[in-house]
Amino acid sequence: VNFILRKDFDGGLVSLSTGESEASSNDARNNANLVWGTSSDKGRALVVVDLYQKAALYDRDRRSTANSPRPSAQGTYASFNNANFSRPDIVEASCPDALRHDDNPLPSGRDGEYCEFNRNAFTATDPARKSIGVLGSFGYYFSENLEFFSDVSFGRNTASATTEGAPWDATISRTHPNVTTAMLAELGITNPSTTNLYAYGRFNELRTVEVTTNAWRALGGLKGTLGSWDWESAISFSQSKSNQVALAGIYNRARFEAALIGRLCNDGTISTVAIPNCAPGTTRIYYDPFNGGTNNSPEILALLNEDVNRKGESKLYSWDAKFSGAFGKIGDRDVQWAYGVELRREDITDAPSSLATAGANGVVPVLGFGSTAADASRTSYAVFAETLLPLTETLELRIAGRYDHYSDFGGDFNPAASFRWQPNDSFLIRGGWNSSFRAPSLAQVGAGTTLSSGRLPCAVGSEFNTTLQSFNSEIYGNPDLKPETAEAWYLGSVFNAGDNTTFSLDYWNFNNKNLVDVDPLDLFRRAATDSSLLYGNLTDTNPNNDVLPPGVIGILTRNGTFNSRIRYVQLELINIGVQKTDGVDFSVTHDWDAGEAGRFRFYFDTTYTRSFERSESCDSLRPTPRRGAGACINGQRLADRAGEFRYPEWL
C-alpha cells in the first residue's frame, strides 16, 4: 500500500530504528530504510532500500514458554537395556537427581527409568535473521491514455537457528570401555560375552542450521484507456533460491553406530568385522554415550559431524489482462463492468544432500536430519467477471464470478454477490455471500517434506504407552489431496453520529471444507487395528532392520508392537474435514479538530469470535473432554476452540 501511495514520490527519506526487550534476553532489532523518488510529466521512479537485523528469541527467554509442559523422555543422559528388553530400562548414574525418573524422586515411565529433557531450553521461538531488500518502481507516460509501468525487486534473507541435539538409539558393545560390571548386572546380563546393550539418548551438541534465500521479481506492463474503458495488462517473473546449511550437530549414523561397538578407526574408516582391522598407524576409537555425552574428544566429534546442505528453487511466470468500464444503464445510472484473465506457471525443485536422503535400505545416513528430493510443476488459468448494478439511488448490487483451472486438479467456478443500501449520509446496511476454492500448493501435493514433532495424548486408546509418548516425525505431501472449498456470508451496518463519529457493526460466518492439515491421531487410531502401519524389528545382529522406510506412512516403535515406545512417525497431509467460525466486528472512530494544536483521530476496533469449530480426531471409546466438543462419529468430531490460546475470543 505504501508503495502505491508513493509512486509519484519526489525527494529522499532516511529512517533508522532500533529496539530492545526489557527482559534479560538479547531481543534487539535494528532497521535502516532509504526511499528516493522523482517524477515529471513524462515518467516517475521510486527506489526503496531496506536493511533489517534481529537477534534470536528462544523459548527459554520467556517465563510462559521456558519449560515444556511434557518434557521428553529421550535426553542427553541416556537410558539402557539389554538387547532382549527382559528388564525395565535403567538411566545412567550421572543424570541429575532433579531430572531422574526412577521413582526416587520422580516416577519412572512405563518402560522404566529415564532422564527428562526440556526441549524448550534450546528451541528458538523466533530465529535470528538479517535481510536486505531493494525495490524499484518505474513508469513512463507515452500519452494521457497510455502508460508503461514496471516493478523490480530483490531480497536476500539469512536466518539461523538452533534446536536440541539429535535423538539417537543404537546398540552398545558389551566390551565398550565405559560399560561397567555394575551396569551389566543391573540389566541382568550374566553372560556379557554374548549380549550387547541397547540405549537411546540425545547428543548434547545443538543442531545449528542457517538458511539463505535470494528472491527477485520483475514485472512490466501497459495500461491506458480506450474510449470509456480502462485496461491493463502485465507479465511477471519471480524466482526464489534457498540454500540450507547444517553448521553443527548433524552426526553420521554409520560412524556413530560403529563408534559404539568398537568398529570405527580414527581415520574415519569402518571395519566390517567385530575386531577392527584398522590401517597401520591408526587405532579404533569409541564414542562415550555416558555422562551426558560430555566426555568425547574433539577428534571423534569431528569424525562424526557432517556438513549437510539443501538447495531449493521456485519459479513463477504469470500474465494477466483486465478491463473495466460502463456498459448499459438502469434508469439514468451506469452499469459498471470488469473482466479479466490470468495465466500462471509454477515450478519447484528441492535437492537435499544425499547424506540427508534415505538410501535403498531405508536408512538416512545422518541422524535427526532427513529430507526428500522433489521436482514438480503446474499451470493454471482463470477468468473472471464482475458487475455493479445501481438498482436505485440508494441500493446497489454487486455480482461476480470466477473460474479457475489447474493442470493437476481440474477447474472450479465460484460466484459472489453483495449489496449496499444507503438511504442517507448517516446510515448504510451491507451484506454479501461468496464461495471460494483453493488448490493445494505444490509442496502439499507431494513436493515437500517437513520435519516436525508431536505428543500422543492419553485419549488414543490404552494400548500405547501414554506416559512417554513424544515423538519426532516427517510430514509428506499427498498427491491425492482435494482442493479446499469455503462459503462465507456477512451482514452489517455503518452509522455516522454527526460529522466526526462513525460506528460499524458486522456479523460474519465462514464454513470451510476439506481443510489440508496433519492429523497424527488419525494414524494412531488406524494403527490400533491395522498392524501394517507399525514398524520396528530390532535385532542385535542387524540394527538397520529397525527403520521406517522413507516415504512410507507409519509408526516406528521400539519392537514393532503397538504397546512399545514410539520412536518415529511418518505422516502425510490429509483433508481433515470442516472448520466453521462466526463472530462480530465492531469499530468506533472519532475525529477531533483541535485548531492550532492539530487534528486527532481516536479509534477502537475489536473482533469477537463466537465460535471456532474444527474437525479433530477422537476415540469413541475414550473421548477427550473438550469444551463444546461434539459427538465422536467415525473417529471425527467438531470441537469449539474459541477461547483457547491460539484461538482467542477477543481481538
Side-chain angles (χ1 to χ4, degrees):
V1 173
N2 289 335
F3 296 147
I4 295 174
L5 294 176
R6 289 181 170 182
K7 67 180 182 179
D8 294 328
F9 181 77
D10 281 292
L13 177 65
V14 176
S15 301
L16 302 174
S17 67
T18 186
E20 174 64 285
S21 169
E22 64 178 8
S24 59
S25 59
N26 177 20
D27 194 23
R29 306 180 184 204
N30 301 294
N31 183 234
N33 185 274
L34 168 68
V35 180
W36 174 87
T38 183
S39 62
S40 69
D41 294 339
K42 298 298 293 181
R44 57 180 175 81
L46 173 71
V47 177
V48 181
V49 180
D50 187 81
L51 304 174
Y52 181 78
Q53 185 178 37
K54 181 189 177 301
L57 175 68
Y58 289 87
D59 287 353
R60 62 176 180 264
D61 294 332
R62 298 294 181 266
R63 183 182 304 172
S64 61
T65 57
N67 296 299
S68 171
R70 281 183 146 185
S72 172
Q74 189 167 6
T76 55
Y77 295 93
S79 291
F80 303 86
N81 210 317
N82 58 52
N84 299 319
F85 300 107
S86 60
R87 298 286 184 94
D89 295 342
I90 66 169
V91 67
E92 64 168 289
S94 55
C95 171
D97 288 342
L99 304 178
R100 175 182 293 276
H101 284 254
D102 60 355
D103 291 326
N104 184 22
L106 301 174
S108 59
R110 180 171 177 175
D111 291 330
E113 301 175 5
Y114 67 95
C115 192
E116 75 174 38
F117 182 78
N118 178 24
R119 294 181 179 181
N120 290 26
F122 308 99
T123 304
T125 311
D126 191 7
R129 62 182 183 270
K130 56 184 178 181
S131 64
I132 178 172
V134 181
L135 169 71
S137 180
F138 310 96
Y140 181 78
Y141 312 122
F142 294 101
S143 67
E144 292 183 357
N145 299 324
L146 183 61
E147 177 188 350
F148 168 78
F149 60 92
S150 176
D151 292 331
V152 180
S153 63
F154 171 79
R156 180 182 178 88
N157 185 81
T158 301
S160 60
T162 57
T163 57
E164 71 274 7
W168 58 265
D169 49 272
T171 298
I172 299 178
S173 171
R174 59 191 175 275
T175 59
H176 191 291
N178 298 103
V179 172
T180 64
T181 302
M183 181 180 296
L184 296 175
E186 189 173 356
L187 290 174
I189 300 177
T190 57
N191 186 4
S193 63
T194 60
T195 305
N196 289 329
L197 283 71
Y198 193 78
Y200 62 93
R202 190 179 299 273
F203 296 108
N204 66 354
E205 184 179 16
L206 302 181
R207 285 173 285 185
T208 304
V209 177
E210 182 176 87
V211 180
T212 300
T213 300
N214 293 318
W216 67 277
R217 175 178 179 268
L219 177 145
L222 295 170
K223 63 181 177 179
T225 59
L226 187 62
S228 61
W229 286 75
D230 296 325
W231 63 272
E232 178 180 317
S233 181
I235 59 174
S236 69
F237 171 72
S238 59
Q239 182 182 51
S240 175
K241 290 185 177 182
S242 295
N243 185 31
Q244 174 183 279
V245 179
L247 302 177
I250 309 302
Y251 288 86
N252 183 285
R253 180 189 300 270
R255 288 200 290 267
F256 169 70
E257 292 175 348
L260 292 176
I261 59 176
R263 296 190 182 184
L264 179 66
C265 302
N266 64 355
D267 63 351
T269 59
I270 298 174
S271 175
T272 58
V273 295
I275 300 177
N277 183 17
C278 295
T282 64
T283 59
R284 63 174 174 170
I285 55 178
Y286 287 87
Y287 178 88
D288 183 359
F290 303 97
N291 299 305
T294 59
N295 293 336
N296 291 287
S297 67
E299 175 191 22
I300 189 169
L301 294 179
L303 284 176
L304 299 184
N305 261 286
E306 292 283 11
D307 294 327
V308 181
N309 66 348
R310 181 177 186 175
K311 296 182 182 294
E313 181 178 5
S314 64
K315 297 179 181 179
L316 174 63
Y317 309 82
S318 70
W319 168 79
D320 66 78
K322 293 173 280 189
F323 306 87
S324 62
F327 180 76
K329 289 181 177 292
I330 297 179
D332 59 351
R333 297 174 295 276
D334 291 333
V335 178
Q336 302 293 328
W337 296 86
Y339 306 94
V341 59
E342 298 176 0
L343 179 64
R344 295 159 57 98
R345 177 174 176 83
E346 302 171 73
D347 297 294
I348 184 172
T349 59
D350 187 3
S353 166
S354 59
L355 291 172
T357 305
N361 61 353
V363 177
V364 178
V366 294
L367 291 158
F369 205 74
S371 48
T372 303
D375 188 356
S377 63
R378 70 154 56 125
T379 58
S380 62
Y381 67 84
V383 293
F384 61 87
E386 180 178 354
T387 182
L388 180 63
L389 304 172
L391 302 180
T392 69
E393 293 288 345
T394 60
L395 177 63
E396 61 184 31
L397 176 65
R398 186 184 302 268
I399 300 175
R402 178 184 176 99
Y403 176 77
D404 292 88
H405 187 276
Y406 289 78
S407 59
D408 49 355
F409 278 97
D412 190 68
F413 174 75
N414 289 277
S418 63
F419 75 92
R420 173 190 172 101
W421 179 57
Q422 186 172 357
N424 53 55
D425 292 339
S426 299
F427 180 72
L428 71 84
I429 295 178
R430 60 194 177 191
W433 169 91
N434 71 275
S435 67
S436 59
F437 163 90
R438 190 190 79 86
S441 68
L442 286 177
Q444 290 176 330
V445 297
T449 298
T450 302
L451 298 180
S452 186
S453 62
R455 291 184 176 87
L456 177 65
C458 297
V460 190
S462 59
E463 294 87 348
F464 269 113
N465 171 9
T466 56
T467 59
L468 302 172
Q469 295 309 290
S470 60
F471 54 84
N472 291 319
S473 62
E474 286 187 10
I475 301 171
Y476 300 129
N478 181 357
D480 296 324
L481 287 173
K482 299 177 182 178
E484 297 179 346
T485 60
E487 291 187 15
W489 64 274
Y490 69 94
L491 181 65
S493 63
V494 180
F495 175 70
N496 292 328
D499 295 333
N500 298 321
T501 305
T502 302
F503 298 87
S504 70
L505 180 68
D506 293 275
Y507 171 80
W508 44 265
N509 185 295
F510 298 91
N511 186 355
N512 300 75
K513 297 180 180 180
N514 292 325
L515 290 177
V516 177
D517 206 343
V518 178
D519 189 355
L521 301 190
D522 176 72
L523 177 62
F524 286 112
R525 188 180 61 250
R526 289 188 288 122
T529 57
D530 184 359
S531 61
S532 68
L533 294 172
L534 296 173
Y535 292 80
N537 182 25
L538 178 66
T539 65
D540 190 33
T541 58
N542 189 4
N544 284 341
N545 286 339
D546 188 35
V547 298
L548 182 55
V552 173
I553 306 305
I555 304 168
L556 177 67
T557 65
R558 181 153 72 174
N559 58 14
T561 62
F562 197 70
N563 62 352
S564 59
R565 184 191 302 277
I566 300 169
R567 296 175 50 207
Y568 204 72
V569 178
Q570 290 176 182
L571 304 156
E572 66 179 351
L573 292 167
I574 61 174
N575 295 104
I576 64 169
V578 303
Q579 176 177 286
K580 301 178 180 180
T581 180
D582 71 329
V584 176
D585 292 338
F586 174 72
S587 69
V588 180
T589 303
H590 177 72
D591 293 329
W592 174 44
D593 190 348
E596 294 183 358
R599 185 173 181 85
F600 295 86
R601 168 165 289 185
F602 302 91
Y603 63 90
F604 172 79
D605 289 293
T606 187
T607 294
Y608 170 67
T609 302
R610 193 184 74 88
S611 68
F612 196 104
E613 296 180 307
R614 186 178 176 92
S615 294
E616 66 174 24
S617 285
C618 58
D619 185 340
S620 59
L621 298 178
R622 302 177 60 201
T624 301
R626 184 193 288 273
R627 179 175 66 88
C632 187
I633 302 174
N634 296 325
Q636 289 276 309
R637 68 175 168 207
L638 277 177
D640 190 353
R641 297 184 173 183
E644 296 182 5
F645 174 72
R646 296 185 183 276
Y647 307 93
E649 289 183 320
W650 291 94
L651 286 174

